[in-house]
Amino acid sequence: MIAYTIRRILIAVPTLIIVLTITFILVRIAPGDPAEVRLGDYATKESVEALRKEMGLDKSMWAQYLETLKGLLHGDFGRSMINGRPISEEIKRSLPYTVQLTLMGIIFGAIFGIPTGVYTALKRNTLSDYIGRTLSLGGLSFPTFYLGILLMFAFSIKIPIFPVVGGGDIHNLADNLHHLALPGLTLGLIMTAYVTRMARSSVLNTLNEDYVRTARAKGLTERKVIYKHLLRNSLLAITALIGVYAIVLIGGSVMVEIVFSRPGLGKMMIGALKQRDYTTLQAVMIIFASLVVLINLITDLTYGLIDPRVRYK
Amino acid sequence: MKKMKVMFSTVLGFGVLLCLLVPLAVGSGGVLKIALDAADISDIHPHYAHTTQDRGVVHLIFNGLVRYKTGDIGKFEPDLAESWEVSEDGLTWTFHLRHGVMVHPWKGNPGYELTSEDVVYSFQSAANPAKSGCAGGYVGMSFEAVDPYTVRVTLKKPLSETLFLPRVTDYMGGLVIPKKPAEELGEGFRTNPVGTGPFIFKKYLPKEKVITVRNEKYFRGVPKLEGVEVFFMSDLSSRKFGLRSKELDVIEGPPSQPWVEEMQALPGVKVDVFGPGEAGVLYFNVTKKPFDDIRVRRAIGYSISRDEVATTIGKTIAAPIYSPIPPPQAGFLTRAEVKLRGQQEGKDLLYDLDRKKARKLLADAGFPKGLTTEFYMTERGEYAIPMQNVVAQLRESGINAKMITIDHATYHHNIRADMNTIVLYNCWRASADMKLTHMYHSGSIVVTGKKPISNFIHLGKVDADEDGKVDSIDYLIEAARDMLDAQGQRALWQEAQYKLIDWCVSYPLFIKRFTYARQKYVDWGYDLKSTLILSPQINELTSISK
């Protein structure tokens, strides 16, 4: 398993280089110039050229690319082209907010989605099933930002119990969680919808398996059939899909961070995009790609824990 | 049944957990929280600060030698300088500094008294293109410390008070950066500014906010607020909910009448609509067909109702304008003045809506069935909304103008790369000279000018009135710049504008003011009519009384 993990990490390196290369090319061929953005309307051509030189934008694309790559291989993301601060500092500050938001979404989705999915599958074609399916379909069709706004209206304006601005102090657990509640709920509800639907279909597939019929024929209690045979076998598919949706959730966190004005990688990325902050944008894309690789790896490794038949070669 | 119980317990448990996370309501106390429509600062070094959010922050921290009267940019008043005088030849300006102005403490340094050495350093820095984004405004000026409290500025060419004072006011290069912290912090000064203003920079949380605390040693007295937090929130709904939940005290609004009315209807909320505003003017690229034809440009003029465009933005926010220099800036023209001049010359300079005339002009220009053109437009509402209205109005006259919507940074890049046929540009410039120079002087022609800025028309290199000669207003701009007499200067600016209107190289549309909503318990401490930082000024007089 260790060898497998190392191999997967090594395979991730070219993936990340490809992401960097694509991002590097895309941001540079897009119109707009960080020097123009930073200096504004009053700037003379000389000032813009001087700043372009200072930013290293006067060098060839190839030279800039190699410099960026060299920096990244040394763990240096460089400095923001707009505010001049080290990007690693900004990432260090933003990453925990995005991670905790995504984690809250996944945990919420798993806690509520799996039981609801299992329950609706077991009660197939009953009223509970119809309600569960309708709600999950509603959740899937709901735009994240709109759900966020509705929750803000409900729990910050009508019942003023949660804040809507910022992410709270990361070093103050109560304050941090207080600020996390609504954004987490927004992502969590969306994730619940996804998980409910996939848990339901996975359980329905497993219900028709021979071993479930055999277990029932043996006279096992329904509880044992569900927990020992049905749920355990369904979990493999559910885990794989949670991994996939966790990646979707990272994308969803961008909108949530904007709507709740919450610090995080998503807000950082949108800001960098608007300001044509090439270096920050590249760094954020690399981090996002690394998160995706990491989640995939964790998902793959989890298979072995759930299903002993899975062997890592 | 047991499963149901497990599920119920889980839901209940999660609910209890959420409720435990609800601490007591947090009050803002003496700290004013203002949210601006921005993703982040661009630069809070005052000599680079050019966006509204940057200016909103630097204005808390820095002072100029002179300042625009708080809340009314029509008047100048002393700031770091107690008084000043100008030599008879207009070449030497002498400023006498206040005593006891303290520079904020920084990184273990307790601060010190600001002297002429700091002021000279600051202006020399502002004039250096490698250290400033506004160096162009200080060309031909030298700065000298006569004694610790006297600064002398010597000009190569004399400038009138109208043109000189804006360069030493509390705006961009005029904001004084103290020498010692600027030199010590170097590049770090950009995100850790140190000044002399009513509030001291405390912390910058990227993409979130800037935190300042009051300057107990401020020379105008201790500020009433304990501090100011400037939030960067690009989502309007978030700002609105922040205000409604009282987490925010002041929020920036969009130029939208429905928003103004919605905010005014909220209990405990007050809306400020203030100037000077941004003038929205259409600029025609005369090098591109069919806009090289004056008849086409005039046909566009006759196809637009300025009143309708202004109403689209908002009846309490926008108003039509008739000259490139917008009111209340020195040199602007009223509708009556433009009309009168037209009557005197036997011309129609107003270009009021007249579709019949527009169609005839198009037919004369060889477009009897109308014409089709396309242009880039930013996605930002303050541009896109009025432009959508313009496009709809043009269609009525048979002009099919297709908007290609792109993001704001790309729009600014494209128009400066000479890629547009029609450019809508919303801006306010510190003086008529600056506006005319940036938009109409031949040196400012985009891409090919000596100092390319924003002459999208290419005026100065094109034959605007089709008389076979190149047309320019350079000589009027330069003559006005050299004139010391305010009245004569204004007359030259007006003369330049009559020419622009006659040639129809640009079409002044509207002046759009700024909208902010605040809790009623926020008192600015002054009458907010206009401010050059384009957001409400927060100073030692501003208070919160909950």
Side-chain angles (χ1 to χ4, degrees):
Chain A
M1 189 166 158
I2 293 170
Y4 173 81
T5 309
I6 292 170
R7 205 164 56 244
R8 284 289 303 269
I9 290 170
L10 288 176
I11 291 170
V13 174
T15 310
L16 296 179
I17 291 178
I18 291 169
V19 169
L20 170 72
T21 310
I22 293 171
T23 313
F24 182 90
I25 295 169
L26 283 180
V27 296
R28 276 164 180 77
I29 59 171
D33 184 319
E36 282 176 9
V37 172
R38 200 184 132 194
L39 292 177
D41 295 349
Y42 293 180
T44 59
K45 201 176 175 186
E46 294 115 290
S47 304
V48 173
E49 287 309 318
L51 187 58
R52 281 180 62 78
K53 200 172 175 184
E54 193 188 313
M55 288 171 164
L57 293 171
D58 59 328
K59 293 176 189 164
S60 69
M61 283 261 276
W62 186 239
Q64 289 179 53
Y65 177 74
L66 287 180
E67 246 174 53
T68 308
L69 200 60
K70 196 175 149 193
L72 280 177
L73 291 175
H74 286 88
D76 178 15
F77 286 115
R79 285 176 176 269
S80 158
M81 282 187 168
I82 299 299
N83 62 34
R85 282 166 58 100
I87 295 167
S88 49
E89 268 182 31
E90 288 199 32
I91 288 176
K92 203 172 139 192
R93 185 172 168 270
S94 300
L95 185 61
Y97 285 102
T98 300
V99 169
Q100 62 177 203
L101 178 62
T102 312
L103 273 180
M104 172 108 171
I106 294 170
I107 293 168
F108 192 101
I111 287 177
F112 290 98
I114 294 175
T116 314
V118 172
Y119 185 76
T120 51
L122 294 174
K123 300 285 174 188
R124 192 182 181 188
N125 294 334
T126 63
L127 182 64
S128 322
D129 183 30
Y130 291 135
I131 292 172
R133 281 160 66 185
T134 310
L135 287 177
S136 64
L137 193 65
L140 289 178
S141 348
F142 231 78
T144 320
F145 73 93
Y146 190 58
L147 180 61
I149 288 171
L150 284 184
L151 289 174
M152 273 186 192
F153 184 72
F155 297 110
S156 296
I157 307 297
K158 289 292 164 193
I159 312 167
I161 51 174
F162 291 116
V164 291
V165 179
D169 182 357
I170 202 90
H171 304 295
N172 178 339
L173 186 66
D175 183 49
N176 187 221
L177 289 175
H178 189 212
H179 281 80
L180 179 64
L182 282 190
L185 193 62
T186 308
L187 275 193
L189 287 173
I190 302 284
M191 190 65 173
T192 304
Y194 280 115
V195 175
T196 300
R197 286 191 77 80
M198 68 197 178
R200 181 180 177 277
S201 71
S202 176
V203 170
L204 282 178
N205 284 337
T206 319
L207 266 175
N208 296 324
E209 295 288 342
D210 291 343
Y211 54 81
V212 174
R213 201 177 305 119
T214 311
R216 278 181 176 146
K218 279 197 306 188
L220 291 181
T221 60
E222 192 61 17
R223 187 180 169 183
K224 275 194 177 168
V225 172
I226 292 169
Y227 284 102
K228 290 220 162 180
H229 296 275
L230 201 135
L231 204 53
R232 187 129 192 211
N233 283 295
S234 305
L235 271 182
L236 192 65
I238 295 173
T239 310
L241 285 168
I242 284 183
V244 172
Y245 287 127
I247 294 163
V248 174
L249 220 56
I250 290 177
S253 70
V254 175
M255 278 316 294
V256 172
E257 283 170 5
I258 300 292
V259 169
F260 286 92
S261 191
R262 197 182 147 77
L265 290 181
K267 204 173 177 216
M268 202 170 155
M269 184 177 77
I270 298 294
L273 196 63
K274 282 186 175 174
Q275 296 180 307
R276 296 291 188 272
D277 189 347
Y278 297 163
T279 43
T280 302
L281 199 57
Q282 284 159 199
V284 174
M285 291 304 285
I286 289 289
I287 297 292
F288 270 130
S290 306
L291 283 177
V292 170
V293 168
L294 186 71
I295 289 170
N296 273 326
L297 181 63
I298 292 172
T299 310
D300 288 351
L301 295 178
T302 317
Y303 291 163
L305 298 175
I306 297 168
D307 189 345
R309 290 170 301 179
V310 175
R311 294 279 182 273
Y312 297 103
K313 289 179 182 172
Chain B
M1 193 61 199
K2 277 189 177 176
K3 283 194 301 282
M4 289 291 286
K5 278 182 184 171
V6 170
M7 279 183 69
F8 181 73
S9 315
T10 313
V11 174
L12 192 69
F14 216 89
V16 170
L17 177 67
L18 280 178
C19 291
L20 285 174
L21 299 180
V22 182
L24 294 170
V26 183
S28 57
V31 177
L32 185 110
K33 295 178 178 178
I34 179 169
L36 303 177
D37 176 12
D40 200 357
I41 53 167
S42 288
D43 207 317
I44 46 176
H45 185 302
H47 301 169
Y48 284 105
H50 67 279
T51 62
T52 303
Q53 65 271 23
D54 296 342
R55 287 178 188 145
V57 172
V58 297
H59 207 266
L60 300 167
I61 301 164
F62 294 92
N63 297 95
L65 286 178
V66 180
R67 71 174 185 176
Y68 291 101
K69 189 185 172 198
T70 310
D72 181 2
I73 61 163
K75 291 163 190 163
F76 294 110
E77 59 185 26
D79 201 12
L80 291 174
E82 275 179 326
S83 61
W84 60 88
E85 67 255 355
V86 58
S87 63
E88 274 187 28
D89 58 7
L91 287 171
T92 309
W93 291 76
T94 308
F95 292 88
H96 305 284
L97 303 184
R98 281 175 198 265
H99 291 235
V101 174
M102 295 303 291
V103 171
H104 300 161
W106 81 96
K107 282 201 169 174
N109 291 283
Y112 62 94
E113 189 184 5
L114 184 102
T115 64
S116 54
E117 193 187 353
D118 295 285
V119 177
V120 168
Y121 169 83
S122 181
F123 282 112
Q124 284 170 345
S125 180
N128 181 351
K131 289 182 172 181
S132 155
C134 51
Y138 299 89
V139 174
M141 291 187 189
S142 60
F143 309 92
E144 178 193 353
V146 179
D147 64 51
Y149 298 103
T150 310
V151 174
R152 186 181 296 147
V153 184
T154 310
L155 312 180
K156 278 188 180 164
K157 282 166 79 176
L159 280 176
S160 66
E161 186 179 277
T162 316
L163 293 185
F164 177 76
L165 284 187
R167 293 160 210 247
V168 294
T169 55
D170 51 345
Y171 187 76
M172 282 199 86
L175 289 162
V176 172
I177 56 169
K179 186 180 178 184
K180 284 180 191 167
E183 283 186 338
E184 245 177 61
L185 295 169
E187 186 70 1
F189 195 84
R190 285 172 53 197
T191 47
N192 191 7
V194 180
T196 51
F199 297 94
I200 300 173
F201 174 85
K202 187 181 172 195
K203 205 174 188 182
Y204 163 50
L205 300 173
K207 314 281 183 287
E208 191 181 353
K209 62 180 171 181
V210 166
I211 303 169
T212 66
V213 294
R214 75 171 154 220
N215 176 8
E216 304 277 354
K217 294 178 181 170
Y218 187 50
F219 62 84
R220 284 198 174 87
V222 179
K224 291 178 181 174
L225 293 169
E226 285 168 27
V228 180
E229 291 186 9
V230 183
F231 287 76
F232 312 114
M233 297 171 67
S234 51
D235 186 73
L236 178 63
S237 310
S238 315
R239 297 200 299 276
K240 197 165 72 178
F241 282 122
L243 185 80
R244 290 187 67 177
S245 65
K246 294 204 166 106
E247 284 173 71
L248 298 170
D249 303 307
V250 185
I251 60 168
E252 182 178 353
S256 149
Q257 191 66 31
W259 183 85
V260 168
E261 285 163 13
E262 183 193 349
M263 289 295 107
Q264 280 170 336
L266 291 177
V269 172
K270 197 169 165 31
V271 175
D272 291 302
V273 180
F274 56 92
E278 287 182 312
V281 177
L282 285 182
Y283 298 90
F284 301 109
N285 188 336
V286 179
T287 63
K288 292 195 192 284
K289 285 194 179 299
F291 302 102
D292 56 337
D293 191 325
I294 192 168
R295 291 166 296 187
V296 171
R297 301 196 300 268
R298 284 180 175 158
I300 288 179
Y302 284 120
S303 302
I304 300 171
S305 156
R306 291 178 173 98
D307 288 312
E308 194 182 314
V309 179
T311 309
T312 302
I313 300 167
K315 59 181 189 292
T316 62
I317 303 167
I321 55 170
Y322 300 90
S323 64
I325 307 295
Q329 196 155 54
F332 85 95
L333 296 166
T334 62
R335 180 183 164 86
E337 283 171 324
V338 176
K339 190 177 178 183
L340 180 66
R341 177 62 174 250
Q343 283 168 348
Q344 285 167 351
E345 294 188 357
K347 293 174 180 171
D348 176 10
L349 297 180
L350 285 174
Y351 304 105
D352 279 336
L353 180 66
D354 188 339
R355 298 202 197 287
K356 210 172 152 188
K357 211 181 255 184
R359 285 202 189 90
K360 186 176 180 312
L361 280 164
L362 283 178
D364 292 348
F367 300 100
K369 291 181 181 171
L371 63 89
T372 299
T373 185
E374 57 182 31
F375 60 95
Y376 292 106
M377 179 44 51
T378 162
E379 93 282 18
R380 285 185 74 135
E382 65 263 37
Y383 284 79
I385 291 169
M387 205 57 203
Q388 279 159 0
N389 180 272
V390 167
V391 166
Q393 292 197 52
L394 293 181
R395 206 173 292 132
E396 297 285 311
S397 301
I399 301 167
N400 183 19
K402 289 181 187 165
M403 272 169 58
I404 305 167
T405 305
I406 50 180
D407 79 287
H408 197 60
T410 307
Y411 177 70
H412 272 281
H413 175 81
N414 285 4
I415 59 176
R416 282 172 175 77
D418 201 22
M419 290 165 74
N420 251 21
T421 48
I422 309 173
V423 175
L424 174 64
Y425 200 79
N426 295 348
C427 71
W428 177 269
R429 290 289 180 261
S431 68
D433 172 68
M434 196 182 266
K435 173 93 184 214
L436 293 174
T437 303
H438 284 192
M439 313 310 290
Y440 302 98
H441 194 280
S442 63
S444 306
I445 292 175
V446 288
V447 184
T448 57
K450 275 184 190 163
K451 288 185 176 176
I453 306 182
S454 41
N455 179 350
F456 308 113
I457 302 165
H458 293 252
L459 192 66
K461 294 284 176 198
V462 288
D463 176 10
D465 58 1
E466 296 179 10
D467 64 352
K469 291 178 200 159
V470 169
D471 294 301
S472 168
I473 58 163
D474 290 2
Y475 67 102
L476 289 168
I477 297 172
E478 285 158 15
R481 197 179 294 150
D482 292 342
M483 188 164 274
L484 296 180
D485 167 49
Q487 221 171 339
Q489 195 171 47
R490 200 173 300 138
L492 287 172
W493 286 331
Q494 292 185 333
E495 195 54 38
Q497 290 178 91
Y498 285 129
K499 285 190 182 298
L500 297 172
I501 298 169
D502 184 26
W503 299 334
C504 201
V505 286
S506 62
Y507 188 81
L509 277 173
F510 57 82
I511 179 91
K512 166 188 69 68
R513 298 194 293 161
F514 306 105
T515 56
Y516 276 73
R518 64 179 149 110
Q519 310 286 0
K520 276 186 178 159
Y521 56 69
V522 174
D523 178 8
W524 297 126
Y526 60 89
D527 190 14
L528 177 56
K529 287 182 195 160
S530 58
T531 148
L532 215 54
I533 62 166
L534 315 185
S535 65
Q537 289 163 281
I538 301 162
N539 62 17
E540 72 285 357
L541 303 172
T542 306
S543 62
I544 290 175
S545 53
K546 284 185 183 174

